[in-house]
Amino acid sequence: MSFADYLMLFGGMGLVTYLPRALPLLYLAHKQMPQWLIDWLGLIPVAILSALIAPALFTDTTTRSLVFGKLELLVAIPTLIFSLKTRSLGGTVLVGMLLYWLGGMVH
């Protein structure tokens, strides 16, 4: 591929990355959205995070089956409780790392 081909490739990738983000922002910037839509959109980050984390907590990748005794799940439960009680991101990360380290030594 030539240099011009690479430039067109990078430009096209930037365009298809930028347009889906910019067009709704430009369209909705001056419109009043209903409260139910704002509430619903607020749930999207939680849904995405859950979809990313759930397979690591509940499934075994080698056998493709549900496993409820994984170390990750056993560590996630007290870490979640700590985060709900303290609301400290840094403390939650430290507690989660410490519990995972200790669990790896015991497990």
Side-chain angles (χ1 to χ4, degrees):
M1 288 179 64
S2 69
F3 183 72
D5 292 337
Y6 278 112
L7 282 179
M8 287 182 48
L9 178 67
F10 289 143
M13 288 189 306
L15 193 64
V16 300
T17 301
Y18 180 72
L19 279 180
R21 296 174 188 199
L23 290 179
L25 183 63
L26 292 173
Y27 177 72
L28 297 173
H30 303 290
K31 295 193 185 277
Q32 182 66 28
M33 293 187 293
Q35 187 61 39
W36 65 267
L37 181 60
I38 294 170
D39 294 341
W40 182 79
L41 290 173
L43 297 175
I44 291 175
V46 176
I48 291 172
L49 183 63
S50 300
L52 291 172
I53 291 176
L57 294 179
F58 298 114
T59 61
D60 182 17
T61 56
T62 57
T63 61
R64 295 185 183 191
S65 61
L66 287 175
V67 178
F68 292 105
K70 287 183 67 174
L71 176 62
E72 289 85 354
L73 179 62
L74 298 176
V75 168
I77 293 170
T79 304
L80 175 66
I81 293 169
F82 178 84
S83 71
L84 292 174
K85 293 234 184 248
T86 64
R87 301 282 183 190
S88 168
L89 179 61
T92 301
V93 170
L94 289 176
V95 166
M97 290 172 52
L98 178 68
L99 290 174
Y100 191 75
W101 178 69
L102 289 172
M105 293 178 69
V106 172
H107 198 264

